[in-house]
Amino acid sequence: MAPSERDSQIPVFHGAGHLLRLIADLVRRPRRRECPEPVRHRGVAQGREGLPVLCLVAGDDHAQLARGIGYFLSHADPRRVPHCLHDLAADPESADPGSVEAVRRTLERLAQGFARSVNGADGRVRFRRFGLVNWLLQAGSGSGADGTGDVEGTDHSLLQGLREREFRRRRLFGLLRAPETELAVDGNVPWWVWLFAVHVFPLAWFRVRRGLGREYRWLLNQPYLAPRDPGTFIGFAERLTVPHNQVEDPEQLRKLMVNAFLEDLRIAFRRRPWRPRSARRTAYCVAVLSGTAADNCGHPLLRTVIDVRNETGAFDPLLLISCGAQPPAEGTELRADWGHSSLWELSDRLYGGWRDTFLHTGRARNRAPWYLPVTVPALMPPSDDPAAKAQYELTRRQEVAQDARLRLPEPPLWARRVVSVAVACCVLATLLGTAGLLWDREGAYRTAHCGLGRFQDDADTLHTVETGECIGVSRHGFTFHSPDAELNKTLRTIADQNARADQIHQTSPERPLVTLVHLSALLSTTGKSTAQLAYGREALQGAASAQSRQLRTTGSTEPILRIFPANAGSGMRYGTRVVQILQGLKAQDPSIVGVSGLDQSREATNQTIRKLTEAGVPMVATTLSADSLVRQSPLYFQVSPQNSREAEVAAAYADHLVAGRTKPTRQVRVIGSADPTDTYSQTLGDDVARQFRARGFAVERTAFSPPPPPGGEPSSTAPGAGSVGQRSCSYPGLVFYAGRAEDFETFLGGINESCNSAPPTVIGGDDVARLAADPVRRAQYPGIPYAFLDFTLGSAHCADSSELYSEMSRLFPEECAKVPNSSLDGHAALGFDAVKLYVNAVKQLREDAPGDAADAIRGVARDQWGARRGSARRGERDHRLRRRGGPSGPAGQAAVGAAHRRRRQAHPGRLLRTGRRPRPVRVVPAAPTGEGRLSPAAASLRPAPRAPSR
């Protein structure tokens, strides 16, 4: 029978099967723990772990035996056992038994063999620690691994050599330093980028690597050669270089090298759940040393390995097999460690006997338990003699053929490569899916929260609504995506002042911290003229001026003021949702005391006021004028006049206009919105009709249907504003427009199309001031003169010494240049007074007995403007507020209203909310010219205003 290919290279001798089985038992790695498997006594594992030093005495056939063992390990199933065969007899540099250099070169050959790719089926072993020690031991010798050979041994040269060694090990640094790279990037990248990439970054990386690298830290913490002397890494590294290492203890140097070599093997085989590669290593590394004898470094190396194992107590996955011709000489210490020669016989009991001895005496700290000497019989060479050939084949079949195939255990299912790849793919897919889901959710969150991420400031108090507007409360300077750069600057100014308020509160915690929410509409409107946002911007500028002035006060009773701008969307339609956000904020921040601002007298505004009342939040409105608002809540206050007063002034102006004239006639057509939710237009139309009838005018009511909101239905079947404007051309009397400014432009367009040369006499309500404030929009119809009512009187100047305008000139100097074309003298003053009312109320509550905030606001209003009882007849208001001692605030310069009177409702003692002493509201005729400016006649009466919002 012809020998099989697998066992043809394995030597044949009596007991070969026992040797192969012994090597197989020692090579196979248990699934748990390490070799040898411990003896259990009462369920407790006893004994230490370790692999023996297998010493084979094979006579002159030791080289052939070593090659046969290498072949046996190479053809293991299912993969090769990582091993390295080194012939000491063939290496002349290993001839000196006491040479440190011989041990170093032997370990270097073994490390190179284990690091080969052929032994890396489960990943090559990386000898980082031994590589560093090996490099240091050669540094300065003239034959270092780096090829320089002229290291001076100084700190600088040693560091430079270490740095260059690290750079050579990293492909990235090698690529950056390659001449081809320098030529490729020459002139294509800035010089400072090249300087940073080639010099600064590598040097910084090396310093971090030298301090945090695992091999560098290990070298300073291993037990040999007192690494803490002189106390630094570079100092200890210099001790290892040539010629400094010549004065060190050779035994300690050998142990340092061996320990570094074994530590790298330990790291590679250390089981970790996150390292399935280590669990796939089911066979230990095998080092086969051929030609071990007393005249080379073989036995010193074996002794050093055993000493390191005894001194460190750590398991290392290295099976050492030495093949020598003769055993140690009689009488030597090594021969004594091997034991009696009768124990060296090759049998099936060798492994069991060694294991029992090792488990019981392995902790004795001597070398004897580690040695496993074996006497190998003479090898049987193939022969042509029939008898010898028959004996050879019989021995081969009995001893070799059955054990020639080394079967290694399969790795755990979870650690197999296919499973690892599948798990990695699943994890990657899960991560990508999760990332995609989070990205989608983050995108949806950003879409729903005005483009802000969930970890950004203000994200939880801002929401994107169906119309695309951004509503909510801005606490950290969010600008609501406003198209007006000046409004954005105003919001940022308020945010900066809020930050300053927080700093002041930290340094002066005894002062009360007060927060107001300034609620507006149209802050985030896009696609519109920025002039339409002027009223909201200037009201915020007035509030910011009051805040800035308050922050400069230093009294212990002076409140520290913060202002949170808020947006309720166009038409205040989302005011109730903003109130819900405000309720959540108020629960978190008790410093929130009230709301200022409020825009446009609509049903949505009424609902917002009722919702704020339910939340117990006082309100001070700045520009609202609908008569019904004061009946909505006992917590509602306002600093602007009502529509009833506006209608009274309009009727007086109309009576003066038609007196003694044939045209216009004494009749009026009141044009209002058919939108049932527009409270301002309805109440103003009713008041105008009543006042004009009282003046003897014939009153005619006409309604128009405003454009519906995006996605909404028309509010009525009435004609549009343009059609109503066309039908007004032939009207002989006065036309009073009681609608909104956005529809007034359409109304003028209808007049312009039908009777541009002879337009009717048009008077607009106060909301028309928003259109007149925009020079571009009011120049659309230069041939159509009209008059409109406004809440302000006279012009403001930044040179004024009032509180408001001195702050305005400091915070917003760009507004000063626009005073002739702005409504600065109205809306900023209203916003300023509303904030001052809150501040004074808080001061009163702090100085006097604690009470209700609303009562404090009433008290402040009574103190500032005075109050006296009036007639109690039905149809008249119960109270009239009058300014004591003349006006002293900005409202005195921009007189906002007349005496507002209001009937008492359910709450006794409730005062009329107004901030002005009795004065008539000015009616300002505006005759736009083609250049987009007011005519001289109009300009002499009043600068062109920007719109207060109703």
Side-chain angles (χ1 to χ4, degrees):
M1 181 177 178
S4 65
E5 181 183 355
R6 183 176 297 276
D7 59 4
S8 61
Q9 301 296 326
I10 299 177
V12 178
F13 56 90
H14 293 288
H18 300 323
L19 180 60
L20 296 180
R21 286 192 295 271
L22 174 62
I23 295 176
D25 290 338
L26 293 174
V27 164
R28 295 189 185 101
R29 187 186 188 192
R31 180 162 295 190
R32 297 180 180 178
R33 298 177 62 90
E34 300 294 350
C35 185
E37 296 184 3
V39 176
R40 293 187 174 273
H41 178 68
R42 295 181 180 179
V44 179
Q46 296 181 349
R48 68 173 299 178
E49 299 170 333
L51 293 173
V53 176
L54 184 59
C55 300
L56 303 180
V57 180
D60 295 336
D61 299 325
H62 64 274
Q64 184 181 355
L65 177 63
R67 290 192 297 271
I69 294 174
Y71 183 85
F72 174 68
L73 297 174
S74 300
H75 292 80
D77 188 30
R79 58 178 128 354
R80 167 191 175 101
V81 174
H83 68 280
C84 179
L85 173 60
H86 180 59
D87 191 355
L88 296 175
D91 187 1
E93 297 185 6
S94 303
D96 186 1
S99 172
V100 175
E101 178 64 16
V103 174
R104 185 198 66 79
R105 290 189 63 84
T106 301
L107 291 174
E108 184 180 59
R109 296 293 186 270
L110 293 177
Q112 291 172 353
F114 287 127
R116 292 171 56 198
S117 59
V118 70
N119 286 320
D122 297 316
R124 291 182 295 175
V125 179
R126 299 185 181 275
F127 291 91
R128 291 189 173 94
R129 293 153 189 82
F130 176 73
L132 176 61
V133 173
N134 187 46
W135 185 89
L136 289 173
L137 289 173
Q138 297 178 83
S141 64
S143 59
D146 56 355
T148 57
D150 55 352
V151 180
E152 299 176 0
T154 63
D155 289 356
H156 177 73
S157 59
L158 183 57
L159 280 175
Q160 185 178 4
L162 283 170
R163 185 167 59 247
E164 293 299 326
R165 173 180 176 269
E166 290 290 346
F167 292 166
R168 285 195 303 272
R169 294 174 60 198
R170 266 68 184 180
R171 295 181 180 179
L172 175 61
F173 296 134
L175 178 64
L176 290 176
R177 290 167 170 259
E180 298 82 0
T181 306
E182 185 174 0
L183 292 176
V185 302
D186 186 22
N188 296 324
V189 296
W191 64 269
W192 57 269
V193 174
W194 177 249
L195 178 66
F196 177 81
V198 177
H199 298 285
V200 179
F201 173 69
L203 292 178
W205 179 88
F206 174 70
R207 291 186 65 87
V208 174
R209 171 75 175 165
R210 185 161 56 89
L212 302 179
R214 288 178 294 180
E215 58 267 35
Y216 294 95
R217 288 186 287 113
W218 175 88
L219 188 60
L220 286 178
N221 291 285
Q222 54 82 33
Y224 300 110
L225 285 176
R228 295 298 177 179
D229 179 18
T232 61
F233 167 80
I234 195 63
F236 179 61
E238 191 173 7
R239 288 173 52 195
L240 300 180
T241 60
V242 178
H244 304 288
N245 57 21
Q246 303 298 322
V247 298
E248 301 290 345
D249 183 7
E251 186 66 22
Q252 290 284 304
L253 285 173
R254 283 195 292 267
K255 290 181 179 180
L256 173 62
M257 291 186 293
V258 169
N259 190 32
F261 181 86
L262 296 180
E263 182 64 20
D264 287 323
L265 290 175
R266 297 184 195 115
I267 297 297
F269 277 73
R270 186 171 295 165
R271 290 186 174 101
R272 292 291 184 268
W274 57 88
R275 291 179 58 193
R277 177 181 298 175
S278 62
R280 288 198 294 267
R281 299 183 188 272
T282 59
Y284 295 118
C285 293
V286 180
V288 182
L289 301 178
S290 178
T292 304
D295 58 351
N296 59 37
C297 67
H299 289 306
L301 175 59
L302 300 181
R303 288 197 303 268
T304 305
V305 170
I306 294 175
D307 290 342
V308 170
R309 288 175 174 178
N310 283 329
E311 293 171 6
T312 61
F315 172 84
D316 58 82
L318 178 64
L319 175 61
L320 280 169
I321 301 178
S322 69
C323 298
Q326 298 296 329
E330 291 286 350
T332 60
E333 182 182 0
L334 180 58
R335 181 61 179 266
D337 292 336
W338 279 31
H340 196 270
S341 59
S342 62
L343 302 176
W344 305 350
E345 294 182 3
L346 190 58
S347 66
D348 277 340
R349 298 187 301 271
L350 276 177
Y351 176 72
W354 171 84
R355 183 186 65 179
D356 295 339
T357 302
F358 181 76
L359 291 176
H360 288 89
T361 63
R363 293 194 175 100
R365 303 298 181 184
N366 55 57
R367 302 189 185 105
W370 293 94
Y371 284 113
L372 180 54
V374 177
T375 300
V376 178
L379 304 187
M380 299 176 62
S383 177
D384 295 333
D385 181 65
K389 184 175 182 181
Q391 183 64 31
Y392 178 85
E393 290 295 332
L394 177 62
T395 305
R396 186 190 60 78
R397 288 195 301 268
Q398 291 178 349
E399 301 289 347
V400 178
Q402 296 180 3
D403 301 299
R405 184 166 184 163
L406 172 58
R407 295 183 181 274
L408 300 177
E410 292 289 341
L413 181 62
W414 63 271
R416 296 180 184 178
R417 193 179 302 275
V418 175
V419 177
S420 300
V421 173
V423 170
C425 293
C426 292
V427 171
L428 180 60
T430 302
L431 291 177
L432 291 177
T434 304
L437 181 61
L438 293 177
W439 182 270
D440 291 341
R441 288 186 177 180
E442 182 67 17
Y445 185 90
R446 287 178 177 272
T447 302
H449 292 266
C450 307
L452 298 178
R454 62 182 70 248
F455 300 111
Q456 291 182 269
D457 296 334
D458 292 331
D460 55 340
T461 59
L462 295 170
H463 300 278
T464 305
V465 293
E466 297 79 9
T467 58
E469 296 175 280
C470 181
I471 67 166
V473 182
S474 171
R475 297 169 295 170
H476 301 91
F478 184 76
T479 60
F480 298 96
H481 302 306
S482 169
D484 188 357
E486 297 175 356
L487 174 59
N488 296 341
K489 178 184 176 182
T490 302
L491 293 173
R492 287 192 294 269
T493 300
I494 293 177
D496 294 339
Q497 294 186 161
N498 289 341
R500 187 155 60 96
D502 292 333
Q503 295 176 356
I504 296 175
H505 183 61
Q506 291 179 357
T507 57
S508 303
E510 71 280 359
R511 295 177 59 184
L513 180 64
V514 176
T515 302
L516 298 181
V517 177
H518 187 91
L519 185 58
S520 305
L522 297 173
L523 286 184
S524 61
T525 299
T526 57
K528 302 290 185 180
S529 170
T530 56
Q532 297 189 39
L533 305 176
Y535 75 95
R537 181 186 72 238
E538 292 171 4
L540 281 170
Q541 289 174 345
S545 300
Q547 180 189 19
S548 175
R549 185 172 183 83
Q550 186 61 30
L551 291 179
R552 292 209 307 274
T553 59
T554 58
S556 60
T557 61
E558 292 290 342
I560 302 172
L561 181 61
R562 295 187 305 180
I563 296 177
F564 291 166
N567 181 32
S570 58
M572 292 288 294
R573 68 180 67 181
Y574 302 106
T576 55
R577 293 174 60 174
V578 176
V579 174
Q580 293 177 355
I581 298 174
L582 178 58
Q583 286 179 291
L585 275 180
K586 196 171 184 296
Q588 301 173 7
D589 186 358
S591 69
I592 298 177
V593 300
V595 171
S596 63
L598 299 175
D599 278 336
Q600 300 191 354
S601 304
R602 298 179 182 269
E603 180 57 31
T605 308
N606 296 336
Q607 296 175 1
T608 303
I609 293 174
R610 291 192 290 269
K611 193 72 174 178
L612 286 169
T613 304
E614 294 176 4
V617 180
M619 298 148 277
V620 177
T622 52
T623 57
L624 299 185
S625 61
D627 300 331
S628 61
L629 294 178
V630 292
R631 297 189 295 269
Q632 299 295 323
S633 168
L635 301 179
Y636 174 82
F637 302 81
Q638 68 182 58
V639 294
S640 55
Q642 294 178 305
N643 285 344
S644 57
R645 177 59 181 167
E646 184 175 344
E648 181 181 350
V649 173
Y653 171 74
D655 184 59
H656 172 75
L657 187 63
V658 301
R661 300 182 183 180
T662 59
K663 189 175 182 181
T665 60
R666 203 171 189 80
Q667 52 186 330
V668 61
R669 175 179 291 177
V670 181
I671 299 175
S673 173
D675 184 2
T677 64
D678 193 346
T679 308
Y680 162 78
S681 182
Q682 292 179 0
T683 58
L684 180 59
D686 294 341
D687 291 337
V688 167
R690 184 172 58 255
Q691 292 293 338
F692 272 69
R693 287 194 185 97
R695 295 277 183 172
F697 282 80
V699 178
E700 174 185 341
R701 301 291 295 272
T702 301
F704 66 89
S705 179
E713 298 292 334
S715 57
S716 70
T717 58
S723 300
V724 173
Q726 293 176 354
R727 298 174 186 177
S728 301
C729 285
S730 59
Y731 190 71
L734 298 175
V735 177
F736 189 91
Y737 179 81
R740 296 287 177 180
E742 53 265 28
D743 302 315
F744 185 66
E745 190 172 5
T746 307
F747 172 76
L748 292 180
I751 296 177
N752 186 67
E753 292 178 3
S754 299
C755 52
N756 184 29
S757 58
T761 303
V762 179
I763 302 176
D766 63 277
D767 201 68
V768 174
R770 296 171 56 190
L771 174 64
D774 187 350
V776 178
R777 295 172 64 202
R778 71 167 178 254
Q780 293 288 332
Y781 310 107
I784 305 176
Y786 58 88
F788 63 93
L789 290 96
D790 189 29
F791 286 165
T792 59
L793 180 66
S795 300
H797 301 281
C798 288
D800 291 345
S801 59
S802 65
E803 296 178 352
L804 169 62
Y805 296 110
S806 61
E807 291 294 333
M808 288 286 292
S809 62
R810 188 176 63 86
L811 294 179
F812 310 105
E814 67 278 0
E815 292 292 336
C816 296
K818 301 186 302 180
V819 166
N821 261 343
S822 72
S823 58
L824 180 64
D825 52 344
H827 308 107
L830 296 175
F832 184 92
D833 278 359
V835 173
K836 290 290 291 182
L837 187 62
Y838 272 113
V839 171
N840 293 334
V842 172
K843 291 169 61 176
Q844 177 174 308
L845 285 175
R846 188 167 178 84
E847 295 173 355
D848 301 338
D852 181 72
D855 291 336
I857 295 175
R858 295 188 193 98
V860 171
R862 185 182 300 111
D863 293 340
Q864 287 186 346
W865 289 290
R868 67 177 178 83
R869 291 285 181 179
S871 172
R873 296 197 312 268
R874 186 174 181 82
E876 294 183 355
R877 279 67 175 178
D878 291 335
H879 297 81
R880 182 192 302 266
L881 293 182
R882 187 188 304 273
R883 189 69 175 266
R884 290 181 180 175
S888 61
Q893 293 195 4
V896 174
H900 305 299
R901 292 165 297 179
R902 174 177 167 226
R903 196 157 42 172
R904 301 174 70 149
Q905 301 295 331
H907 187 69
R910 188 189 322 160
L911 300 180
L912 179 67
R913 287 86 179 186
T914 178
R916 306 295 176 264
R917 71 177 194 171
R919 284 190 181 182
V921 178
R922 285 293 298 267
V923 178
V924 184
T929 64
E931 291 76 16
R933 299 179 58 86
L934 292 177
S935 64
S940 64
L941 292 176
R942 186 193 182 281
R946 280 205 184 106
S949 174
R950 294 279 90 43

